[in-house]
């Protein structure tokens, strides 16, 4: 937690503007205690950078916890928040909203539409998978639905013509232009979902053994699996609807915690949330500071996370989970 506070306060001081680290600390201190600040510095630190950093931390934490849940419920080491196609459904809702707004000059908000499509996707997948939520059936259903929505996204991008850049930039995953309203929306949804999943974390240990084994020790495996999938879908939908597609955070972080600390979900879940938040904040700082133009953070996480995951996978000889 101390590391988190230091990282947040440090990163708000970093950027294109000429501002020292001490200035960043001073602005936050003065704002918290109701003291006066330089208006320009306060606008940069408090209104622009701090909401972006807090949003990034919450999104990273949510993606990591969703990754823990998907990997455990599906018993698949390669599962992540995008495995079941929920993210693709949310992305389709967002791209559809962008397209409608462009064509009809409307101002429909992206987040609620993306959230609705994410929920609809999960319902369809569960219907296809049937009453017995076998991991293979769920994954195959997710691949089918995800492919359909991906085709829909491609169609909308084609129809958008010269205006396709807005869709492409959103799909790359970005944390720019985040406000305190985003933090207000993200915080309760992410925290409540993580707290609920943490409260049931012992059952997640049991589900990793398999549905039949879980039943043999008195756990209603199908009911618990549905509950966990709904929580993971909510976390994924919140992230995708606010920031676009940010890959590999939910895939890599849980593995790092399992290999370095523990596989017991009571500890795995909060540690993954903390590390996931820190990783995404660092990746976003790299996207802001190390290039002449800002690179979407989703590109950074994929460029770093992809080769890193291959390294882990090869060293573990495929036995990651």
């Amino acid at each position: 937690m101390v590391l988190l506070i230091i990282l947040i306060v440090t990163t708000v001081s970093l950027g294109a503007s000429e501002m020292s680290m001490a200035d960043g600390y001073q602005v936050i201190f003065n704002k918290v205690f109701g003291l006066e600040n330089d208006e320009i510095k306060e606008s940069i630190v408090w209104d622009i950078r701090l909401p972006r950093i807090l949003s990034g931390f919450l999104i990273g934490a949510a993606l990591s916890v969703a990754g823990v849940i998907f990997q455990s419920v599906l018993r698949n080491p390669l599962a992540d928040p995008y495995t079941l196609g929920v993210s693709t459904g949310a992305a389709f809702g967002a791209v559809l909203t962008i397209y409608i707004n462009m064509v009809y000059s409307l101002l429909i908000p992206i987040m609620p539409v993306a959230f609705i499509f994410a929920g609809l996707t999960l319902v369809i997948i569960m219907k296809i998978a049937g009453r017995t939520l076998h991991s293979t059936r769920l994954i195959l259903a997710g691949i089918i639905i995800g492919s359909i929505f991906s085709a829909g996204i491609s169609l909308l991008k084609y129809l958008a013509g010269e205006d396709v850049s807005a869709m492409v930039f959103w799909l790359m995953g970005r944390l720019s232009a985040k406000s305190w309203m985003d933090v207000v929306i993200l915080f309760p949804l992410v925290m409540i979902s993580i707290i609920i999943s943490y409260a049931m974390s012992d059952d997640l240990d049991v589900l990793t053994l398999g549905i039949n084994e879980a039943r043999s020790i008195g756990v209603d495996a199908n009911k618990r699996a549905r509950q966990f999938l709904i929580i993971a879908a909510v976390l994924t939908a919140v992230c995708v609807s606010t920031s676009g597609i940010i890959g590999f955070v939910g895939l890599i972080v849980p593995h790092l915690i399992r290999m370095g600390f523990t596989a017991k979900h009571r500890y795995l879940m909060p540690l993954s949330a903390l590390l996931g938040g820190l990783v995404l904040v660092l990746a976003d700082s790299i996207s802001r500071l190390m290039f002449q133009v800002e690179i979407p953070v989703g590109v950074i996480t994929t460029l770093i996370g992809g080769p890193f995951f291959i390294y882990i996978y090869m060293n573990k000889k495929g036995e990651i989970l």
Side-chain angles (χ1 to χ4, degrees), residues 57 60-61 64 249 252-254 256-257 261 270-280:
F57 180 83
S64 297
V249 175
I252 296 292
V253 171
L256 292 176
I257 301 298
F261 296 96
L271 288 173
S272 294
L274 181 60
L275 181 60
L278 293 175
V279 165
L280 192 53

Side-chain angles (χ1 to χ4, degrees), residues 4-210:
L4 170 62
I5 295 172
I6 292 174
L7 177 65
I8 288 175
V9 177
T10 301
T11 50
V12 296
S13 307
L14 304 176
S17 63
E18 295 183 2
M19 184 183 302
S20 67
M21 198 171 296
D23 290 332
Y25 279 82
Q26 189 68 45
V27 168
I28 294 176
F29 180 87
N30 290 348
K31 190 69 177 179
V32 170
F33 291 98
L35 303 176
E36 282 197 30
N37 273 313
D38 179 276
E39 289 186 8
I40 295 177
K41 290 180 180 179
E42 180 177 316
S43 177
I44 294 172
V45 171
W46 190 263
D47 298 328
I48 298 175
R49 291 181 184 168
L50 190 56
R52 175 175 181 158
I53 291 167
L54 293 176
S55 295
F57 180 83
L58 289 168
I59 291 169
L63 289 173
S64 297
V65 171
V68 170
I69 293 173
F70 281 125
Q71 288 166 14
S72 300
V73 172
L74 301 178
R75 301 175 66 201
N76 186 330
L78 299 179
D80 73 347
Y82 306 111
T83 300
L84 286 187
V86 174
S87 65
T88 312
F92 176 79
V95 170
L96 179 63
T97 305
I98 294 171
Y99 178 77
I100 291 173
N101 287 343
M102 287 190 304
V103 173
Y104 299 102
S105 300
L106 300 176
L107 294 173
I108 301 172
I110 292 176
M111 186 174 184
V113 179
F115 205 91
I116 290 169
F117 271 88
L120 179 63
T121 303
L122 182 64
V123 170
I124 295 172
I125 289 169
M126 286 186 172
K127 288 290 185 182
I128 295 174
R131 295 183 63 183
T132 302
L133 297 179
H134 193 277
S135 61
T136 302
R137 290 176 65 90
L138 282 167
I139 292 172
L140 288 175
I143 291 172
I144 294 168
I145 299 303
S147 298
I148 294 171
F149 278 123
S150 292
I153 291 172
S154 297
L155 175 62
L156 290 172
K157 287 163 64 177
Y158 176 78
L159 294 175
E162 295 180 355
D163 297 322
V164 72
S165 58
M167 298 179 183
V168 172
F169 185 70
W170 188 91
L171 289 169
M172 286 181 180
R174 80 281 184 271
L175 293 174
S176 58
K178 289 290 171 283
S179 67
W180 283 106
M181 181 57 68
D182 293 298
V183 177
V184 169
I185 293 171
L186 282 166
F187 184 80
L189 291 172
V190 171
M191 294 307 299
I192 290 172
S193 298
I194 291 176
I195 290 170
I196 293 173
S197 58
Y198 176 77
M200 301 189 298
S201 58
D202 289 340
D203 289 339
L204 203 54
D205 287 328
V206 177
L207 286 177
T208 59
L209 302 175

